[in-house]
Amino acid sequence: MSKSKRNGGLRFQPAGGSRAPQVPVGKKQRLAIERLAGDGRGIAFVEGRTWFVSGALAGEEVEARVLNAHGKVVEARLERVFSASPERREAPCRHFERCGGCNLQHLPHADQLELKQRLLAEQLQRVAGVAPEQWAPPLSGPEFGYRRRARVAVRWDQKAKKLDVGFRAEATQDIVAIDDCPVLVQPLQSVMRHLPLLLQSLAKPQLIGHVELFSGTALAMLVRHTGALGEADMARLQAFCAEAGVQLWLQGEGAPAPAEPGRELGFALEPWNLTLAYRPGDFVQVNAGVNTAMIEQALDWLAPQADERVLDLFCGLGNFALPLAQRSAEVVAVEGVQAMVERAAANARSNNLNNVRCFQADLSQPLSASGWAAEGFSAVLLDPPRDGAYEVVRKIAALGAKRLVYVSCNPATLARDTLELIKQGYRLKRAGILDMFPQTAHVEAMALFEVG
């Protein structure tokens, strides 16, 4: 219901009414944390307002500082713990109190997994009124040293005449100066340690927009620049990359391109002897170990047979489509962005998989208008973005698939789409979390649906 309908359409308080004063930014407040929110923040209630406190745990007495306040909601960050939860641990990263990248480092990894499992179960029950017939154990890997891709924030401070390099602070556009990040894979940690000094040494550092780091079949560094880089600065970047064994990629107004033509970048799916080409800016799962375990579980649950046709929706570069093709008669891989469709098709060809057909389609709309959808499928795999696949799943039973695996990065939209699948006669057979982002409250999940 809109705000105007809730208050009768009045923009201002009626005569004689009063509006409670807003909580000022920076104010400190003592709070009793009752539980954790879906994003891992602690929840407290004071004088009709709901406080969300990052860094706080359930059962704690804390002092929090206000970051933002609107209406009855106050966002705050932990300042001091008066009474600590027995679950609390000292955050392993020295930047934890300011950096906005990881928000659960104060919670042991086993408790992080339990929290994510509970959040998934609550969403499925609250929205779809269902629990899976079987819960799968969490898929997880090392809690640190897992991230093979990172975007490094860069900003020129005109007043101080200096370049800030690091990651965004929580709830602000401030950049926390960072030259070490324990969640990065080890090769990228080494690059990160020397990156700030390199960028700050450039003659025109104000031309740098941001930097992306990637570790796959090669190490790579993408430099996004807002103007033409001078010869001296290009030489510095190239010398740094040559010494570090890193490919240099550049992006001005056009698409990313390697500084040295012919350079190739990709990532391996070792259990299937596959290599997928990748370009900076393409979507790729950041956690290689959990990605492999996720594919293995999807293949096990979907169980494609040698004579079956399988549909892979939101296929990206072919992360699922290519392993599926090794086990089935044909895979139809569908993606919304034409450039990604072309890259998926090229990846199939380069891996000698001739039973993959790739198509572009608007996956925010029903599939009925697509010619390939009329052919029918034995099984379907979906890996949609955060907003889910509502329009796709509304009529997915018409495809004839008896088995469906849904890989989700948002439990709320998974639960919403689960309700639609149940209406069409599917049963939720299995579900479980995928710990793709340890130290954060981000929940990924996999669900298996079967007809009957």
Side-chain angles (χ1 to χ4, degrees), residues 301-305 308-310 377-381 400-405 426 448-451:
W301 289 13
L302 202 59
Q305 302 301 302
E308 291 184 325
R309 297 180 73 247
V310 179
F377 299 91
S378 300
V380 177
L381 185 141
K402 303 300 183 185
R403 308 182 307 282
L404 186 147
V405 163
Y426 287 94
L448 170 66
F449 297 89
E450 293 183 359
V451 172

Side-chain angles (χ1 to χ4, degrees), residues 151-162:
R151 179 167 174 161
V152 183
V154 177
R155 184 174 61 197
W156 174 252
D157 187 331
Q158 182 63 32
K159 186 175 181 180
K161 302 295 183 185
K162 70 181 183 69

Side-chain angles (χ1 to χ4, degrees), residues 25-40:
V25 172
K27 172 184 170 64
K28 293 182 180 180
Q29 176 72 45
R30 187 162 181 154
L31 301 166
I33 306 300
E34 296 191 13
R35 63 178 188 271
L36 292 186
D39 59 6

Side-chain angles (χ1 to χ4, degrees), residues 9 37 45 47 81 94 113 132 141 152 200 276 310 318 322 430 437:
F45 302 95
E47 297 177 352
V81 179
R94 61 190 178 94
L113 296 177
V152 183
Q200 290 158 0
L276 279 65
V310 179
L322 272 58
R430 297 181 195 168
F437 299 92

Side-chain angles (χ1 to χ4, degrees), residues 18 31 38 51 87 91 125 127 155 163 174 208 213 237-238 240 258 260 276 297 300 307 313 359 370 381 398 410 412:
S18 62
L31 301 166
W51 289 64
E87 296 178 329
Q125 186 61 53
V127 177
R155 184 174 61 197
L163 191 72
D174 294 343
I208 307 301
L213 303 177
L237 291 170
Q238 289 174 321
F240 173 86
E260 297 182 22
L276 279 65
Q297 181 168 282
D300 178 52
D307 61 346
L313 297 173
F359 297 94
S370 303
L381 185 141
N410 184 352

Side-chain angles (χ1 to χ4, degrees), residues 188-216:
L188 293 188
Q189 290 189 35
S190 178
V191 176
M192 190 71 194
R193 278 194 291 273
H194 300 96
L195 182 63
L197 187 60
L198 164 71
L199 298 178
Q200 290 158 0
S201 73
L202 298 178
K204 289 193 174 181
Q206 61 267 38
L207 296 180
I208 307 301
H210 69 263
V211 173
E212 284 190 36
L213 303 177
F214 179 77
S215 173

